[in-house]
Amino acid sequence: MAKGERSFANWDEDVVTMAVEAARDCLQGQSRDAVGSMMLASTTAPFTDRQNAGIVKEALNLRDDVATLDFGGSQRAGVSALIQALETAREDRPVLCVGSEKKQDRPGSEAEMTGGHAAAALLVGAGDGLARLVASHSISFDFVDHFRGSGEAFDFSWEARWIREEGYGRIVPLAIRELLAKAALQASDIDVFVFSSSLRGAALSVAKAAGIAPAALVGPLDAGVGDTGAAHPLLLLAHALETADPRQRILVAGFGSGCDVVLLERTEATLAPVRRLGVSGWLARARSEANYVKYLALNGLIDIERGMRAEIDHRQPLSALWRNRKAVLGLVGGRCRKTGTIQFPKSDIGVNANDRAIGTQDDYPLAEIPARILTHTADSLTYTPDPPAFYGMIEFEGGGRIYVDFCDAEASEIEVGRPMRMVFRIKGVDETRGFTKYFWKAAPAA
């Protein structure tokens, strides 16, 4: 019998929404205007021909001259993106590097017990930081341990012992040896080793084959999160940076069609005292769900009867999305320069009852501003994958109101005056055309 827990996303979460949440946590206390590039690594991104990183950029309300790039194609995509971010940040503005994964596994399979959903974000730039780059190295082979064909829902995996011995046991140690040669270091100089694999004991075998002390291996979080694919090396690295001591050398390896390895050194810098949760904080906020059928339903792994109220055409007018992208994706409202009144959505005419000022609205981002519930409803008639449907009016600190859906909440948590925070989520899915619609919802604040 399997033990432990694995993380899974709610019905209104996917690679994009998890990436937004990880990036928001990473950017706490940082100027978003300073970000020069944004990279998103995933093998399960919702769009094949629409840049997923571009959606994340809009939701974060980053500058329009930010370069965005999607990484995919293998499980080492997260470490590949990190290497590219480290190289780019040497000559440019800081780079936001995000790994996010929501892989679907066949019900009843071994992969279902070992896999998880998660996202992690790192801000990479020149100057002082939590760690500095020592060296990086990449090797590429068409070694197929598993694959997922275009249009297929699940992976096809090969025999575990062959993957462990021929793949992990040969390719990863080779990459590590060549990296250490670049850096003129020995395997014994590695204090922290980040390597993820869903195969039991594989990470320890790799460490021993590379000559790295077993004690240096970072805990894989397999008992509480599971293997989160391309996001997992970045997740483990973020977790390791929370506890690593100054001057410790951290080696990160990503396996998949070869191997990428990065060697970092922890600096004397400390985390800024901001309201950042980090990996430990998010794990502490986990909500348990023991209903297996509910898990299957929320992840679309079983076909359920949704009823007539679910028969809605979610077609998205793309021209309207373009015109209103700051409001829809970035939750940008307006603030009147004359009266100081805050409103959503922004319009040419202010809503102040005593002064309908015209043309005085400035952009006013609302996503990071605390809010509270003014009115609420629990609707058991409206269709939602996770009934009842909670929604109501919230008021932002300093002014401004919006009528939104609530999420991540139990009935006992919804009451007038309850503090709420905004989260970027799926609003609906146009199943006919394969388009996902996003908007912001309100969730109970910690």
Side-chain angles (χ1 to χ4, degrees), residues 26 63 87 90 98 138 217 248 334 370 397 404 413 415 440:
C26 175
R63 292 164 46 137
E87 293 295 329
R90 288 178 176 179
V98 187
S138 299
L217 190 63
Q248 281 193 322
E397 190 176 284
V404 292
E413 298 176 289
E415 60 183 5
W440 292 81

Side-chain angles (χ1 to χ4, degrees), residues 372-419:
R372 63 185 182 90
I373 296 176
L374 290 182
T375 65
H376 61 88
T377 298
D379 190 341
S380 296
L381 295 178
T382 299
Y383 172 75
T384 175
D386 190 14
F390 292 111
Y391 50 84
M393 181 75 73
I394 63 168
E395 182 176 51
F396 292 99
E397 190 176 284
R401 296 180 177 183
I402 184 175
Y403 196 74
V404 292
D405 292 328
F406 301 157
C407 63
D408 300 344
E410 302 292 338
S412 60
E413 298 176 289
I414 302 300
E415 60 183 5
V416 172
R418 169 78 197 220

Side-chain angles (χ1 to χ4, degrees), residues 301-314:
L301 295 170
I302 54 174
D303 190 14
I304 61 172
E305 172 58 47
R306 294 181 289 182
M308 294 179 62
R309 289 186 175 88
E311 297 174 2
I312 301 173
D313 189 350
H314 286 281

Side-chain angles (χ1 to χ4, degrees), residues 100-298:
S100 184
E101 202 81 284
K102 185 185 178 182
K103 189 167 71 73
Q104 301 291 53
D105 296 307
R106 195 180 300 277
S109 67
E110 181 181 355
E112 183 188 45
M113 293 190 294
T114 59
H117 304 157
L122 299 167
L123 186 63
V124 181
D128 296 333
L130 292 179
R132 69 174 186 89
L133 174 65
V134 177
S136 65
H137 187 67
S138 299
I139 57 175
S140 298
F141 300 103
D142 187 28
F143 180 87
V144 187
D145 58 323
H146 76 282
F147 68 91
R148 186 172 68 253
S150 178
E152 295 296 322
F154 307 115
D155 288 0
F156 176 83
S157 297
W158 204 241
E159 196 268 327
R161 188 176 66 175
W162 177 76
I163 297 170
R164 180 186 289 107
E165 295 178 0
E166 192 68 23
Y168 297 153
R170 294 180 184 270
I171 294 175
V172 183
L174 172 63
I176 293 173
R177 286 194 297 270
E178 293 180 354
L179 172 75
L180 292 174
K182 272 187 182 181
L185 294 171
Q186 302 297 318
S188 58
D189 295 322
I190 302 304
D191 302 295
V192 179
F193 181 40
V194 174
F195 180 73
S196 62
S197 169
S198 61
L199 298 182
R200 183 181 296 275
L204 181 59
S205 297
V206 167
K208 290 180 177 179
I212 298 173
L217 190 63
V218 171
L221 298 179
D222 54 0
V225 178
D227 182 7
T228 59
H232 212 61
L234 300 187
L235 183 71
L236 295 181
L237 173 58
H239 195 37
L241 288 172
E242 293 177 335
T243 57
D245 294 325
R247 294 183 295 279
Q248 281 193 322
R249 296 185 180 94
I250 305 171
L251 194 152
V252 184
F255 176 83
S257 299
C259 185
D260 289 324
V261 280
V262 179
L263 182 59
L264 305 169
E265 184 177 66
R266 182 69 164 86
T267 66
E268 300 282 348
T270 57
L271 286 168
V274 295
R275 291 170 17 185
R276 183 185 293 110
L277 288 173
V279 178
S280 299
W282 281 111
L283 288 174
R285 291 188 60 182
R287 288 174 177 262
S288 296
E289 178 57 66
N291 189 326
Y292 179 64
V293 175
K294 184 176 180 180
Y295 152 76
L296 295 176
L298 292 179

